Amino acid sequence: MKQKLVDLTPTCCPPSHAESEPDLKAPAAGTGDEKIRMKREISLGNGICLIVGNMIGSGIFVSPKGVLMYSASYGLSLVIWALGGVFSVFGALCYAELGTTITKSGASYAYILEAFGSFLAFIRLWTSILLVEPASQAIISLTFANYLVEALYPTCQPPYDAVRLIAAACICMLIFINCAYVKWGTLVQDLFTYTKIASLILIISIGIMKIMAGETQNFENPFEGSALDSGSISLALYSALFSYSGWDTLNFVTEEIQNPERNLPLAIAISMPIVTVIYLLTNVAYYVVLDMPSLLASDAVAVTFGNQVLGPFSWIIPISVAMSCYGGLNASIIAASRLFFVGAREGHLPDSLSLIHVHRYTPIPALLFNGLMGLIFLCVEDVFQLINYFSFSYWLYVGLSVVGLIYLRITQPDRHRPVKLTLLFPIIYCLCSLFLVIVPLYGDTINSLIGIGIALSGVPVYYLCIYLPEEKRPKFIGRLNAAATKFTQLLFYCCLTELDVEPEKQPSGKSQ
């Protein structure tokens, strides 16, 4: 099937793009040929904004109270926030090694595929495409819409249809921006990341001024009443670590990073301390202004904070939450579209999703598919419930990726690794990931089992569409795939991409 599509490419695309130039790692000077693949347009600054923008979502504005609820004291909660940052740094460092060793986009999907083969990688992709990515994007867009219209409906809930339409418009606008040019998407990301950081700096500055004015009564006995039992501390740490999720965003676009061996680990090394310090100082500011009952009773902590200290300028906070959601949604769309793009290129999704525009070098079919799934999930009334089914899956797949790092160290000890950690880091993070998988299984068993069942629903799909040799698969699948790919090529002026990796580094079990 792939060969037929490659043969079709010269008829759908200009001949000048059919020939490939030498490998990108050592480009020949003066060559005029262009290889059809994603261009390396993401700079170090863009990478930092992608990571920071995805990690700092609406959570730090809306509901940072989970850690405080379980730790039961300001002092212990800050310690747990700091521990969460340290554990996340361990995971991010492991991904810095993985991203510079396995130079494919796709993050955990690509790493699981390389280390453990096709089946586990497909299940990871199946859960993302069926539920996790579209549901999370629908939720972020709805949060954006709610905060955007909050000022118009101060005493009641905004109209259901209005919120859904604004959320749909938000998704459509970002899909268009990212289809147009990669640089447009990174420009939006940079702008909204700077905006959300400025908003948090405003909150932090107010907290520092309150402390300098001597308003420290909430910190007189910071550890009084701390919940020191292992169950409460575990749940508090789980809440903190979940707030730090998103540090793997840049690994989804590895093939588009300029000088990835330098910029990928450097972006991670710069982003993680920034987010950790911002989280700690923002919580200190909340704790200085709000007492514990007020903080725990609030549905939107930053809004309560703003109402108490900003007076007539309290509208800044809801707008800041909306803009933070917009930036987070943009980062999620960039990452998810690359995941689907790489999955299609590996033969796990229809070939049409592995096409990119001939001149813009954007994965238009994957972006449109991602947007369509998000719009479909906006039609689900209780979409917030769906994400509970996969509260553990993020940590499961990240943990599997880090186990893959250890496995590849053992099976391929001589492989080129620009970043090479001591094995202590991946071992500690694997144990941490195991804890993060067990906590929701224990605390929310029914929803977690439903999530596992949905993931396992991909097994028959894998058997019919990937595991079976092509001649034994149902004939209509191949014909439908070929027809959809040809139609997509002609409609969107797209071509199949060429891998920017050496052939011997590709996983051997692509379709078995």
Side-chain angles (χ1 to χ4, degrees), residues 8 20 27 45 61 124 166 190 224 244 285 319 326 362 370 386 440 467 490 512:
L8 176 66
S20 62
F61 293 97
R124 186 262 182 271
I166 292 172
D190 294 352
E224 184 179 355
Y244 281 103
I319 297 299
Y326 198 79
T362 54
N370 179 63
L386 296 178
Y467 180 79
L490 295 170
Q512 295 296 327

Side-chain angles (χ1 to χ4, degrees), residues 323-335:
M323 296 182 78
S324 181
C325 291
Y326 198 79
L329 180 60
N330 185 64
S332 178
I333 286 173
I334 291 173

Side-chain angles (χ1 to χ4, degrees), residues 432-491:
C432 180
S433 297
L434 182 63
F435 155 75
L436 290 167
V437 171
I438 290 173
V439 167
L441 281 172
Y442 174 77
D444 194 10
T445 306
I446 299 299
N447 282 335
S448 297
L449 289 176
I450 293 172
I452 292 171
I454 295 173
L456 293 178
S457 69
V459 174
V461 178
Y462 175 82
Y463 178 79
L464 282 175
C465 300
I466 299 167
Y467 180 79
L468 285 177
E470 190 169 345
E471 60 273 11
K472 293 186 178 180
R473 298 174 195 168
K475 299 299 182 186
F476 76 91
I477 293 177
R479 289 195 291 267
L480 187 62
N481 188 20
T485 305
K486 182 177 180 180
F487 177 76
T488 304
Q489 284 183 301
L490 295 170
L491 180 63

